Amino acid sequence: MMQQGARNAVRRFSRLAAAAEATAAAAPRMPAFDHVPLPYDGPSAAEIARKRAEFLSPSLFHFYSKPLNIVEGKKQYLYDEQGRRFLDAFAGIATVCCGHSHPEIVDAITAQARRLQHSTVLYLNHAIADFAEALAAKMPGDLKARVFLVLVTSLVPVVFFTNSGTEANELAILMARLYTGSHDIISLRNSYHGNAAGTMGATAQKNWKFNVVQSGVHHAVNPDPYRGAFGSDAEKYARDVQEIIEFGTTGQVAGFISEAIQGVGGIVELSPGYLPLAYEKVRKAGGLCIADEVQAGFARVGSHFWGFETHGVVPDIVTMAKVRACPPLCFVPCYQRVCVHVNGEPDSVPALRRSPSYLQGIGNGIPLGAVVTTPEIAQVLTRRCYFNTFGGNPFCTAGGLAVLRVLEKERLQENAFIVGSYLKDRLRGLQEKHEIIGDVRGTGFMLGVELVTDRQLKTPAKDEICHAMEHMKDMGVLVGKGGFYGNVFRVTPPLCFTKEDADFFVEVMDIALSKI
């Protein structure tokens, strides 16, 4: 009997080994990459998880049933504690635009840290001035012309530095209210603009809103071509903005804030022609137009440097940033029990406890944000004392300037356009093969793949996307997810992503979707 049991155990082990070998053989080969990670002698994933559960906020959560311990990064790749390489198709939530640990950016911030990390803007330092000059130069010519019409003594926009996208959007809303003398702000449903008092009001998803006072914000119908009430009819969506002005305000508003592509909302592109119509109606009501470029800016869309340029509009205020105030994760609503885990267990905690910040790649992972506007609008902050202790410190602005130089030198915007277009075409090919893919959208390296269990009803595939993510991770690919229902792959890799990476990504997703 014991011999028979042993033989059965050997057979079972052989079958498992054969299945593992078959899976490994079926998995596509990751593109070659000339980098050897440094030996890691730090604490294990289990030890980190224990400390995190004991000493960090209970609001933190993580991807995957067994969370990854990421210890090193190089360009578009990440490495775990065992030295295993992963293709990063999320870039720390669209943060690392130039690639992980880019040597020129590392050298710039290291050199600045050796010389001076922080003083205060009350003293002069060339780092903040140099970066502000370079950043203002990236604004489109039409914005400079708008500045010229307002104040002929200045031909360039004015920059305010902050530490995050939430701060940048808070400041933009404040400036709009001060400049116009009105209080009402219009934003879009499904949007995310931050997690402080004003920006939480502008955010329009219950997943991100705590039960605190959020006054003076009206949420317009989202011009979502896939799930929106009016399909791609921009005029009908813009009519809702007009009705908000007429029936929800005094007829005068402070401003309108929107993303060019909704990031946290699931990579939702706005209906073509919508933003020009909305801007026109808001300006007729005395309001300012704010472009939230926290995720879509800094060359990510490929065809243009800023997301708003793809809509043919010129905003009055532009916000940008990208720092992580949480681990590199993406939110999933609380009723999804798979994929997001808290303290090692499947999540069953209400989502409203969580409020991580999602910002943009201005600093390649450095805590850095900015607001850019005209000198006339900027003048409103001189009515009182406005001050930001860390905003624009030499360490961060030296890194920001290095990011701009790398983007130009390595032509990463062009790469985002070429490779991003190629990747989108390949993902659309997958859509033809897999019924579960309801929509492929976005531009450049800001792409979304929405999974549904029924294409006609557009039923969100909330559990299925979590299983697919686990399979993709096992094959060496890390990707984000988001959207109100948590059923959209957020494909936002570093801008150095190659066609070979795109092919590998699509092949892995193909296999993963075939398994669910």
Side-chain angles (χ1 to χ4, degrees), residues 203-219:
T203 294
Q205 284 194 41
K206 69 176 183 179
N207 308 320
W208 300 101
K209 295 170 80 71
F210 287 88
N211 186 24
V212 296
V213 175
Q214 301 165 39
S215 66
V217 180
H218 309 266
H219 302 115

Side-chain angles (χ1 to χ4, degrees), residues 145-217:
R146 178 180 291 275
V147 175
F148 178 75
L149 290 172
V150 171
L151 191 65
V152 297
T153 57
S154 177
L155 294 176
V156 295
V158 173
V159 182
F160 293 86
F161 286 112
T162 67
N163 304 294
S164 71
T166 291
E167 280 190 355
N169 285 332
E170 284 278 335
L171 180 57
I173 291 172
L174 171 65
M175 293 169 74
R177 284 171 167 163
L178 291 174
Y179 181 79
T180 62
S182 297
H183 186 70
D184 292 284
I185 295 288
I186 300 173
S187 70
L188 298 178
R189 296 179 189 176
N190 196 54
S191 62
Y192 178 87
H193 297 291
N195 57 11
T199 50
M200 191 181 295
T203 294
Q205 284 194 41
K206 69 176 183 179
N207 308 320
W208 300 101
K209 295 170 80 71
F210 287 88
N211 186 24
V212 296
V213 175
Q214 301 165 39
S215 66
V217 180

Side-chain angles (χ1 to χ4, degrees), residues 157-483:
V158 173
V159 182
F160 293 86
F161 286 112
T162 67
N163 304 294
S164 71
T166 291
E167 280 190 355
N169 285 332
E170 284 278 335
L171 180 57
I173 291 172
L174 171 65
M175 293 169 74
R177 284 171 167 163
L178 291 174
Y179 181 79
T180 62
S182 297
H183 186 70
D184 292 284
I185 295 288
I186 300 173
S187 70
L188 298 178
R189 296 179 189 176
N190 196 54
S191 62
Y192 178 87
H193 297 291
N195 57 11
T199 50
M200 191 181 295
T203 294
Q205 284 194 41
K206 69 176 183 179
N207 308 320
W208 300 101
K209 295 170 80 71
F210 287 88
N211 186 24
V212 296
V213 175
Q214 301 165 39
S215 66
V217 180
H218 309 266
H219 302 115
V221 173
N222 194 33
D224 179 352
Y226 182 64
R227 289 188 175 274
F230 306 123
S232 296
D233 194 329
E235 290 190 1
K236 288 184 179 179
Y237 290 116
R239 193 177 305 150
D240 182 61
V241 174
Q242 185 62 43
E243 290 180 355
I244 286 174
I245 294 170
E246 292 177 351
F247 299 105
T249 76
T250 64
Q252 296 289 301
V253 299
F256 171 85
I257 183 170
S258 71
E259 305 161 88
I261 300 176
Q262 293 177 337
V264 174
I267 317 295
V268 175
E269 293 183 278
L270 309 186
S271 297
Y274 172 78
L275 276 188
L277 293 172
Y279 273 32
E280 179 184 8
K281 296 179 186 303
V282 169
R283 284 177 172 148
K284 283 183 178 179
L288 299 181
C289 297
I290 304 168
D292 180 343
E293 291 289 310
V294 164
Q295 292 197 37
F298 272 73
R300 180 159 293 280
V301 296
S303 59
H304 298 78
F305 196 81
W306 305 108
F308 64 78
E309 293 179 287
T310 65
H311 292 271
V313 295
V314 180
D316 302 292
I317 304 175
V318 182
T319 64
M320 62 203 74
K322 197 57 178 164
V323 58
R324 292 195 308 272
C326 66
L329 310 173
C330 178
F331 179 80
V332 183
C334 62
Y335 42 78
Q336 296 178 44
R337 304 302 183 212
V338 187
C339 190
V340 168
H341 291 70
V342 177
N343 299 338
E345 298 297 329
D347 180 22
S348 60
V349 182
L352 292 181
R353 283 179 24 192
R354 316 187 190 103
S355 59
S357 294
Y358 294 88
L359 319 168
Q360 198 271 337
I362 183 175
N364 210 57
I366 299 168
L368 182 60
V371 178
V372 182
T373 189
T374 69
E376 184 185 43
I377 295 171
Q379 193 69 21
V380 298
L381 292 184
T382 65
R383 299 175 188 173
R384 296 290 189 276
C385 292
Y386 172 79
F387 188 77
N388 191 311
T389 301
F390 295 106
N393 74 78
F395 180 84
C396 291
T397 50
L401 182 59
V403 168
L404 284 179
R405 288 172 174 167
V406 169
L407 287 172
E408 293 284 347
K409 178 181 177 181
E410 299 185 4
R411 303 172 69 178
L412 294 182
Q413 180 180 330
E414 179 181 348
N415 188 68
F417 177 72
I418 294 172
V419 180
S421 299
Y422 173 78
L423 176 56
K424 186 176 182 180
D425 287 342
R426 289 224 54 193
L427 290 171
R428 282 181 167 164
L430 275 190
Q431 185 180 14
E432 296 178 3
K433 179 178 180 180
H434 295 281
E435 188 74 16
I436 196 171
I437 298 180
D439 193 29
V440 174
R441 53 184 180 254
T443 182
F445 280 144
M446 195 166 182
L447 301 175
V449 179
E450 180 158 355
L451 301 191
V452 296
T453 57
D454 186 306
R455 282 190 177 181
Q456 294 300 315
L457 299 176
K458 301 178 182 177
T459 308
K462 295 177 286 189
D463 292 338
E464 289 80 0
I465 196 171
C466 294
H467 295 312
M469 286 181 67
E470 292 278 359
H471 293 315
M472 292 178 72
K473 182 259 296 180
D474 292 342
M475 289 184 278
V477 170
L478 306 181
V479 65
K481 62 191 289 289

Side-chain angles (χ1 to χ4, degrees), residues 96-126:
V96 186
C97 56
C98 296
H100 296 281
S101 301
H102 193 289
E104 293 185 27
I105 300 172
V106 171
D107 288 347
I109 61 177
T110 301
Q112 183 60 55
R114 287 197 184 102
R115 191 176 186 92
L116 178 68
Q117 286 180 269
H118 176 71
S119 56
T120 168
V121 292
L122 297 175
Y123 307 133
L124 297 180
N125 186 277
H126 72 89

